[in-house]
């Protein structure tokens, strides 16, 4: 056990975590040169295309140190985007130390602060690594001072590396061996293993990734899940190097995967403790901090026959990513689907894209919304995820919306534009401090942040600003339920909850968009936006016009008037019985948020 080291790589997005992981694998000969590809641990197509890490991946490296001893290094690569902070917390729980990677040309950024504080909360030993020192814009001395001022870690011994060229990689491995602590635990104690992650394999069933905290996990052992007392017999044990390598056991401090012919997805709860059935441990491990979805939207299959496939796909994906939730719902316009909860807009996009790619589904998603707390007449407080569940306005006493505390780091020259953006989004400034860059602390409504705030922030700061946020509180606010009527009939798929100051603008936007998207009919179509019984916006789609008087070649004007009157009555009758079939593409286009 004295030769095992477990560590995570933490950093802000794009600071070089995955590239450093590649170089460490190369240096330890985890893969042959011909098998190496860029971002080898980013196994999903979406990760490679977007250049982001979504899932935390593990790999065991065999390293022969300068002292001649052979060490087993368990590396867990972590995501850097704010929406995947749950993955980071899971990785940190399985490790004793962290490598903090900072881009020496960009310096400390918002997510760097957030992740390093999480590592400190987990009592991690932290090794500071300054990456990209080969760039002309690199300024390692300035970044070392930043780390000291902003994080409070002495960085004068920070390791200078270039993950792209491989410079300084050996120094990082030596620091891991010499500075990081050994795993805590005893091989003689009862088995106590933390379930870090799980995913579904078509041939093996559920595959579980575990970190053994105490005892030894052996092939053929009868294990028990402590959350639900489900028991299984271990079929296979292995580790990733990053290739799958089968072994007979995992002892204290080791990270690997097991299969046990688990068919029920619900039996694997991430953060659960696995123990031996015959000799169970006395208490479960603390697991992970609970996360609650903050953005909700409905997902519907475009083919009604795909509903059951969508349910199975969501269950399998939930096994791999337990931070999103789903429950069945129905819509008059879109049929049967699921109301899903996510940690942010990027998380929503990634899950939707994975469902479409990995499970070959054609999906429609409604406009995202956040959770509102509504106090009704009898002082009962209800949580509203879905706009259609909002009670009658006469019964509502107060509506509270979620607010976040946002940390924004931005160079001085873009500070004015960032302040304007925050004020425009109903923000309240809490703090503004300067080191080498401006550090802004703002309170903002979550509904104003989840849609396009991050994109706008990057746009006004030319890509230099960075953002990290967390839910802070709920505040009473002027919130309206904006509904849409087509020829007097409400359309539930378009209903949304908006702030009073934005309601009229949003209503006009969607009405104008629907006017262009709904096909013309033989009769007039009225599109209206309403708050309660008050109409706040209206557009009219004019009917096709047939010239019924074309066949007349003269005679009295009354003949012409008689035909027009007859056409008018026909149109009126058609309007009363006509049923408008709105194409699904119209819903998708109408719900897209544009600035």
């Amino acid at each position: 056990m004295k030769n095992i080291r477990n560590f995570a790589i933490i950093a802000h997005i794009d600071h070089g975590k995955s590239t450093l992981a590649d170089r460490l694998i190369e240096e330890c000969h985890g893969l042959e040169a011909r098998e190496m590809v860029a971002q080898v641990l980013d196994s999903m197509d979406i990760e490679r295309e977007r250049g982001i890490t979504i899932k935390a991946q593990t790999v065991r490296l065999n390293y022969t140190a300068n002292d001649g001893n052979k060490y087993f290094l368990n590396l867990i690569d972590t995501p850097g985007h704010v929406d995947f902070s749950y993955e980071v917390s899971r990785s940190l729980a399985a490790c004793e130390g962290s490598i903090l990677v900072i881009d020496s040309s960009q310096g400390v950024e918002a997510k760097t602060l957030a992740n390093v504080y999480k590592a400190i909360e987990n009592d991690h030993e932290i090794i500071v690594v300054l990456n990209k020192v080969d760039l002309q814009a690199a300024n390692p001395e300035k970044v070392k001072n930043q780390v000291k001022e902003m994080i409070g870690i002495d960085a004068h011994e920070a390791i200078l590396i270039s993950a792209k060229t491989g410079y300084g990689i050996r120094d990082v491995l030596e620091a891991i061996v010499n500075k990081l602590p050994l795993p805590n635990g005893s091989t003689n104690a009862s088995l106590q293993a933390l379930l870090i992650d799980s995913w579904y394999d078509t041939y093996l069933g559920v595959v579980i990734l575990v970190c053994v905290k105490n005892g030894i996990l052996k092939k053929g052992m009868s294990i028990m899940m402590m959350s639900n007392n489900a028991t299984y017999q271990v079929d296979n044990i292995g580790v990733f190097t990053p290739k799958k390598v089968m072994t007979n056991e995992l002892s204290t401090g080791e990270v690997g995967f097991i299969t046990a012919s688990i068919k029920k997805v619900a039996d694997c709860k991430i953060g659960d403790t696995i123990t031996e059935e015959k000799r169970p441990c006395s208490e479960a491990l603390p697991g992970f901090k609970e996360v609650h979805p903050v953005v909700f939207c409905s997902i519907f299959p475009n083919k009604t026959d795909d509903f059951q496939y969508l349910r199975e796909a969501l269950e399998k994906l939930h096994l791999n990513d337990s931070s999103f939730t789903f429950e069945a719902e129905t819509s008059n316009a879109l049929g049967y689907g699921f109301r899903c909860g996510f940690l942010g807009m990027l998380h929503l996009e990634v899950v939707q894209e994975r469902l479409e790619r990995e499970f070959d589904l054609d999906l429609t998603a409604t406009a995202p919304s956040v959770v509102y707390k509504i106090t009704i007449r009898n002082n009962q407080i209800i949580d509203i995820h879905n706009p259609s569940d909002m009670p009658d306005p006469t019964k509502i006493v107060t509506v509270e919306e979620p607010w976040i505390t946002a940390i924004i780091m931005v160079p001085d020259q873009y500070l004015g534009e960032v302040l304007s953006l925050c004020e425009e989004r109903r923000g309240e400034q809490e703090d503004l401090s300067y080191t080498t860059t401006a550090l802004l602390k703002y309170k903002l409504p979550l509904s104003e942040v989840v849609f396009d705030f991050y994109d706008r922030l990057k746009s006004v700061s030319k890509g230099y600003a960075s953002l990290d946020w967390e839910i802070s509180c709920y505040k009473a606010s002027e919130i309206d339920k904006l509904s849409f009527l087509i020829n007097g009939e409400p359309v539930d798929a378009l209903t949304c909850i908006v702030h009073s100051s934005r309601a009229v603008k949003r209503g006009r936007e969607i009405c104008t968009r629907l006017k262009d998207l709904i096909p013309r009919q033989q009769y007039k179509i009225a599109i209206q936006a309403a708050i309660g019984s008050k109409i706040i916006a209206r557009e009219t789609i004019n009917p096709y016009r047939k010239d019924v008087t074309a066949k007349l070649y003269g005679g009295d004007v009354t003949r012409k008037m008689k035909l027009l009157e007859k056409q008018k009555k026909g149109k009126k009758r058609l309007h009363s019985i006509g049923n408008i079939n709105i194409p699904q593409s119209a819903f998708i286009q109408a719900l897209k948020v544009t600035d």
Side-chain angles (χ1 to χ4, degrees):
M1 202 170 81
K2 67 178 188 297
N3 288 5
I4 296 173
R5 302 287 184 276
N6 296 330
F7 67 98
I9 302 179
I10 55 173
H12 188 81
I13 192 168
D14 271 344
H15 278 212
K17 298 175 302 301
S18 299
T19 314
L20 174 59
D22 288 354
R23 296 293 83 76
L24 293 173
I25 291 167
E26 241 173 31
E27 186 68 31
C28 297
H29 309 293
L31 289 172
E32 297 295 327
R34 61 188 169 78
E35 296 173 301
M36 278 302 294
V37 289
Q39 283 100 38
V40 71
L41 294 184
D42 292 343
S43 52
M44 282 188 271
D45 291 341
I46 306 170
E47 292 180 311
R48 292 180 182 282
E49 284 167 22
R50 292 178 177 241
I52 56 174
T53 302
I54 294 166
K55 288 295 300 171
Q57 300 286 340
T58 65
V59 59
R60 180 200 266 193
L61 305 171
N62 298 328
Y63 173 61
T64 306
N66 292 345
D67 60 11
N69 291 326
K70 194 174 182 180
Y71 291 88
F72 300 103
L73 313 179
N74 290 308
L75 147 68
I76 303 183
D77 183 27
T78 59
H81 196 280
V82 64
D83 281 14
F84 305 111
S85 52
Y86 180 57
E87 292 288 325
V88 180
S89 69
R90 282 159 51 174
S91 304
L92 297 179
C95 303
E96 287 77 45
S98 295
I99 296 178
L100 174 64
V101 180
I102 302 171
D103 185 333
S104 53
S105 61
Q106 299 272 354
V108 175
E109 298 201 45
K111 195 67 194 161
T112 314
L113 288 174
N115 282 342
V116 79
Y117 290 149
K118 277 183 187 157
I120 291 166
E121 279 172 24
N122 280 275
D123 297 325
H124 276 206
E125 184 67 38
I126 293 164
I127 298 169
V128 181
V129 171
L130 305 187
N131 192 16
K132 306 186 187 180
V133 292
D134 55 325
L135 299 181
Q136 283 188 338
N139 192 341
E141 291 308 314
K142 180 185 169 187
V143 177
K144 283 179 185 178
N145 293 332
Q146 254 193 333
V147 172
K148 177 74 177 164
E149 286 173 19
M150 301 182 79
I151 303 175
I153 296 173
D154 186 8
H156 76 276
E157 289 184 3
I159 303 165
L160 306 183
I161 68 160
S162 167
K164 192 174 181 181
T165 63
Y167 169 76
I169 298 301
R170 188 91 188 172
D171 297 338
V172 176
L173 288 163
E174 283 299 314
I176 292 165
V177 166
N178 297 318
K179 292 186 179 178
L180 296 189
L182 317 179
N184 299 320
S186 165
T187 50
N188 299 320
S190 301
L191 175 65
Q192 199 178 33
L194 180 67
L195 199 160
I196 309 171
D197 200 0
S198 54
W199 59 92
Y200 193 83
D201 186 286
T202 315
Y203 304 104
L204 301 170
V206 178
V207 182
I208 297 173
L209 188 70
V210 294
C211 174
V212 181
K213 295 288 186 182
N214 280 300
I216 299 173
L217 181 58
K218 294 179 181 175
K219 196 172 177 179
M221 181 185 272
S222 184
I223 56 166
M224 180 175 76
M225 308 285 184
M226 290 192 78
S227 63
N228 53 17
N229 293 333
T231 57
Y232 299 99
Q233 190 166 356
V234 178
D235 296 332
N236 294 300
I237 296 180
V239 294
F240 292 105
T241 68
K243 293 184 287 190
K244 275 185 184 176
V245 176
M246 295 301 176
T247 62
N248 289 321
E249 61 177 47
L250 291 174
S251 61
T252 305
E254 291 190 301
V255 177
F257 68 88
I258 62 167
T259 62
S261 302
I262 302 169
K263 296 290 183 284
K264 278 191 184 174
V265 167
D267 283 355
C268 295
K269 187 184 170 196
I270 287 175
D272 196 359
T273 303
I274 296 171
T275 189
E276 190 179 356
E277 187 186 10
K278 292 176 184 172
R279 197 168 64 114
C281 58
S282 54
E283 59 178 2
L285 293 161
F288 308 116
K289 185 181 171 185
E290 280 288 315
V291 289
H292 300 287
V294 293
V295 178
F296 287 82
C297 91
S298 299
I299 293 177
F300 297 91
N302 288 343
K303 295 175 188 166
T304 49
D305 298 348
D306 285 349
F307 176 73
Q308 193 56 39
Y309 297 124
L310 177 58
R311 182 193 292 278
E312 288 168 15
L314 284 166
E315 283 175 356
K316 286 175 185 174
L317 205 57
H318 185 261
L319 176 72
N320 188 234
D321 180 2
S322 62
S323 54
F324 83 90
T325 60
F326 64 94
E327 57 182 36
E329 73 157 4
T330 56
S331 158
N332 293 337
L334 298 169
Y336 290 96
F338 292 90
R339 187 75 181 167
C340 303
F342 306 92
L343 300 181
M345 284 299 285
L346 179 65
H347 191 210
L348 186 159
E349 282 177 39
V350 164
V351 169
Q352 191 181 343
E353 206 167 325
R354 286 185 71 184
L355 286 168
E356 288 174 349
R357 285 188 187 199
E358 295 173 26
F359 301 97
D360 197 24
L361 292 164
D362 190 13
L363 305 171
T364 296
T366 62
S369 66
V370 298
V371 185
Y372 294 91
K373 289 190 182 295
I374 296 178
T375 308
I376 51 180
R377 284 281 172 82
N378 57 2
N379 286 331
Q380 186 186 349
I381 297 171
I382 53 174
D383 287 353
I384 297 295
H385 301 158
N386 197 334
S388 56
D389 296 338
M390 199 159 173
D392 189 277
T394 55
K395 295 179 181 175
I396 296 172
V397 179
T398 56
V399 181
E400 293 181 340
E401 66 173 335
W403 281 62
I404 63 162
T405 301
I407 304 287
I408 301 168
M409 295 184 72
V410 61
D412 296 351
Q413 64 264 42
Y414 305 112
L415 182 61
E417 288 96 327
V418 173
L419 288 169
S420 302
L421 175 65
C422 293
E423 292 300 323
E424 182 192 310
R425 299 300 173 98
R426 301 189 282 130
E428 296 172 3
Q429 190 176 319
E430 285 204 325
D431 192 21
L432 172 58
S433 58
Y434 288 92
T435 50
T436 48
T437 56
L439 182 66
L440 268 170
K441 196 175 179 186
Y442 252 91
K443 273 225 160 59
L444 289 152
L446 181 61
S447 57
E448 300 284 350
V449 173
V450 293
F451 291 113
D452 62 344
F453 182 80
Y454 187 72
D455 297 337
R456 286 287 309 281
L457 180 68
K458 286 289 182 187
S459 178
V460 298
S461 67
K462 307 288 188 290
Y464 286 105
S466 62
L467 167 75
D468 188 58
W469 58 266
E470 59 179 24
I471 299 277
S472 61
C473 62
Y474 273 79
K475 282 188 185 181
S477 192
E478 294 289 321
I479 299 294
D480 291 321
K481 177 185 174 183
L482 182 61
S483 50
F484 292 86
L485 302 104
I486 295 178
N487 274 356
E489 292 293 318
V491 182
D492 60 343
L494 295 170
T495 307
C496 55
I497 300 173
V498 290
H499 191 261
S500 301
S501 62
R502 301 261 195 280
V504 175
K505 185 185 172 199
R506 181 96 172 116
R508 280 185 188 146
E509 258 178 30
I510 293 182
C511 283
T512 308
R513 245 179 269 170
L514 284 172
K515 185 185 177 183
D516 298 330
L517 294 166
I518 295 174
R520 283 172 74 187
Q521 305 290 333
Q522 295 290 346
Y523 51 91
K524 191 189 289 183
I525 300 171
I527 303 165
Q528 297 168 308
I531 295 171
S533 57
K534 183 184 174 187
I535 304 296
I536 59 166
R538 176 186 168 123
E539 290 287 344
T540 306
I541 300 173
N542 291 321
Y544 287 118
R545 186 174 180 275
K546 182 183 176 185
D547 189 0
V548 290
T549 61
K551 62 186 176 183
L552 300 181
Y553 52 88
D556 192 60
V557 72
T558 53
R559 290 180 70 196
K560 189 176 179 180
M561 297 306 295
K562 191 176 171 185
L563 280 172
L564 290 170
E565 200 60 42
K566 188 180 176 184
Q567 185 190 37
K568 199 173 175 182
K569 281 180 184 174
K571 294 247 182 194
K572 191 175 180 183
R573 182 170 167 273
L574 192 61
H575 185 271
S576 65
I577 62 167
N579 186 20
I580 305 161
N581 186 22
I582 306 168
Q584 281 195 338
S585 58
F587 288 113
I588 300 163
Q589 293 298 319
L591 293 168
K592 276 187 179 170
V593 178
T594 55
D595 189 46

